[in-house]
């Protein structure tokens, strides 16, 4: 999969200089809508938030083509969306919005649908997910995070880590959505800690969603392999099993220090798709057990594990 270049020159240069296949929001550009201090002064609770605490979810999103697919994974997303309580908004932490040196929050009234890929059928590029944003709750996120400075921006939108799954989860696109970027300069423990901070938003009706894959190595997939419950390669199965075991005992320390788990060197060759899982894990209360919503593999080694806490 190749990633489509963003129209912003700064993001394009960063993509080429760093990974070449991910959208980067540089710290100098994050100030597009003002500083943390000025935005925090505007922070207020959004009206009409549900009284119950929202759950936290993690979705293994796999290929962008899942947006168009009718398979066991997408059908489960559809039923899951009907099972979840209706949120005031969704805060998505996607593997496809990576930043350097700062954490950004999308402040758009109408976030654009980003087709951040290449080499797929035109039908996929034609998909739009016109969900509104929620600037008021995005400002709540700015104030909630204590681990680092968080800056509001209108520079991003909804990338395919977000809209390809929400298309099935909430097909009417009638629930506001905003994204939080992943500061790729920071270690795993930082991302888990930011997730802990984001837990406060659950009481304001926000569904915190991580979207990535706990096993993701595009150079070691087996394309054409039918979807199945087991991986096509031992290292992928071993790491996915290790994550499942650690989740069963809520051994968060083992999941944060994931490099020590069996198969990690190949299963998480780059942590971009694993980090969103840590945000969801952090946002889940320590007494909340992980409910497995879906498990299995696509392209042989991509873990499609989906989880719910609370």
């Amino acid at each position: 999969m190749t990633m489509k270049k963003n129209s912003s020159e700064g993001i394009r240069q960063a993509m080429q200089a760093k990974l070449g296949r991910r959208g980067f929001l540089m710290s100098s550009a994050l100030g597009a809508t003002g500083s943390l201090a000025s935005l925090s002064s505007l922070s207020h609770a959004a009206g009409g938030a549900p009284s119950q605490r929202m759950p936290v979810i993690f979705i293994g999103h796999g290929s962008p083509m899942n947006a168009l697919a009718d398979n066991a994974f997408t059908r489960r997303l559809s039923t899951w969306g009907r099972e979840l309580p209706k949120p005031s908004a969704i805060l998505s932490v996607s593997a496809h919005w990576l930043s350097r040196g700062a954490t950004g929050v999308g402040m758009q009234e109408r976030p654009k649908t980003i087709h951040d890929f290449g080499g797929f059928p035109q039908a996929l590029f034609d998909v739009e997910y016109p969900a509104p944003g929620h600037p008021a709750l995005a400002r709540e996120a700015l104030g909630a995070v204590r681990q680092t400075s968080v800056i509001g921006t209108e520079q991003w939108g909804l990338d395919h880590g977000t809209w390809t799954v929400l298309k099935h989860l909430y097909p009417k696109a009638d629930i506001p959505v905003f994204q939080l970027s992943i500061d790729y300069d920071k270690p795993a423990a930082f991302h888990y800690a930011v997730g802990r901070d984001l837990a406060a938003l659950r009481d304001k009706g926000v569904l915190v969603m991580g979207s990535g894959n706990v096993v993701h190595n595009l150079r070691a997939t087996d394309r054409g392999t039918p979807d199945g419950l087991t991986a096509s390669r031992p290292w992928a199965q071993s790491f996915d099993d290790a994550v499942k075991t650690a989740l069963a005992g809520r051994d968060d320390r083992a999941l944060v220090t994931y490099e020590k788990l069996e198969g990690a060197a190949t299963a998480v060759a780059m942590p971009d798709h694993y980090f969103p899982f840590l945000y969801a894990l952090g946002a889940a209360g320590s007494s909340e057990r992980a409910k497995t919503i879906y498990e299995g593999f696509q392209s042989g080694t991509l873990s499609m594990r989906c989880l719910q806490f609370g």
Side-chain angles (χ1 to χ4, degrees):
M1 179 177 68
T2 58
M3 306 307 296
K4 185 179 179 181
K5 293 181 180 179
N6 191 278
S7 59
S8 165
E9 185 64 24
I11 293 178
R12 179 164 59 248
Q13 291 175 353
M15 289 169 68
Q16 294 170 343
K18 301 298 182 182
L19 295 186
R21 65 182 185 89
R22 290 289 184 269
F24 278 83
L25 181 64
M26 303 306 290
S27 58
S28 61
L30 275 167
T33 60
S35 68
L36 173 65
S38 61
L39 281 171
S40 293
S41 67
L42 298 174
S43 180
H44 63 278
S51 58
Q52 71 179 112
R53 193 176 208 221
M54 290 299 298
V56 178
I57 65 175
F58 172 76
I59 298 178
H61 66 246
S63 168
M65 287 300 292
N66 280 311
L68 302 178
D70 178 13
N71 55 34
F73 167 67
T74 61
R75 289 192 294 271
R76 184 65 186 100
L77 291 184
S78 296
T79 58
W80 192 13
R82 294 191 292 270
E83 295 165 359
L84 288 166
K86 186 174 182 179
S88 295
I90 299 163
L91 188 166
S92 174
V93 182
S94 163
H96 297 279
W97 189 16
L98 305 178
S99 53
R100 292 282 191 185
T103 297
V105 173
M107 306 297 293
Q108 304 93 336
E109 291 279 358
R110 290 285 171 183
K112 63 183 177 181
T113 303
I114 302 173
H115 300 89
D116 50 334
F117 41 69
F120 291 99
Q122 183 59 42
L124 189 59
F125 291 92
D126 292 339
V127 176
E128 294 289 326
Y129 191 77
H134 203 312
L137 283 170
R139 292 184 187 107
E140 294 286 343
L142 287 169
V145 177
R146 305 298 182 189
Q147 305 302 317
T148 186
S149 295
V150 183
I151 305 170
T153 179
E154 295 186 3
Q155 191 176 3
W156 199 240
L158 305 181
D159 58 53
H160 81 266
T162 296
W163 64 261
T164 62
V165 295
L166 290 184
K167 181 178 179 292
H168 298 288
L169 206 65
Y170 298 109
K172 294 181 180 180
D174 57 349
I175 297 174
V177 186
F178 60 99
Q179 289 197 203
L180 180 137
S181 77
I182 296 172
D183 185 345
Y184 209 49
D185 287 336
K186 297 294 195 297
F190 168 86
H191 304 295
Y192 175 80
V194 174
R196 292 285 296 271
D197 290 344
L198 294 174
L201 298 175
R202 298 173 59 189
D203 295 319
K204 300 179 183 295
V206 177
L207 178 69
V208 177
M209 178 182 83
S211 179
N213 297 92
V214 295
V215 180
H216 183 275
N217 186 335
L218 290 182
R219 295 189 177 188
T221 56
D222 291 320
R223 302 297 173 90
T225 301
D227 296 359
L229 287 175
T230 57
S232 59
R233 303 198 191 189
W235 53 264
Q237 189 67 59
S238 294
F239 187 79
D240 194 60
D241 286 346
V243 168
K244 183 176 182 178
T245 298
L247 279 168
R250 274 309 299 263
D251 188 351
D252 291 14
R253 182 182 297 275
L255 294 166
V256 171
T257 57
Y258 65 90
E259 301 97 331
K260 300 176 183 179
L261 298 178
E262 185 176 355
T266 309
V268 192
M270 296 175 65
D272 50 349
H273 277 67
Y274 188 82
F275 283 164
F277 164 63
L278 294 181
Y279 283 83
L281 185 69
S286 58
S287 64
E288 293 178 310
R289 296 301 176 186
K291 177 183 178 182
T292 299
I293 301 297
Y294 186 85
E295 60 184 341
F297 291 84
Q298 291 184 351
S299 297
T301 63
L302 292 178
S303 171
M304 303 302 291
R305 183 169 299 282
C306 298
L307 305 161
Q308 178 176 330
F309 300 88

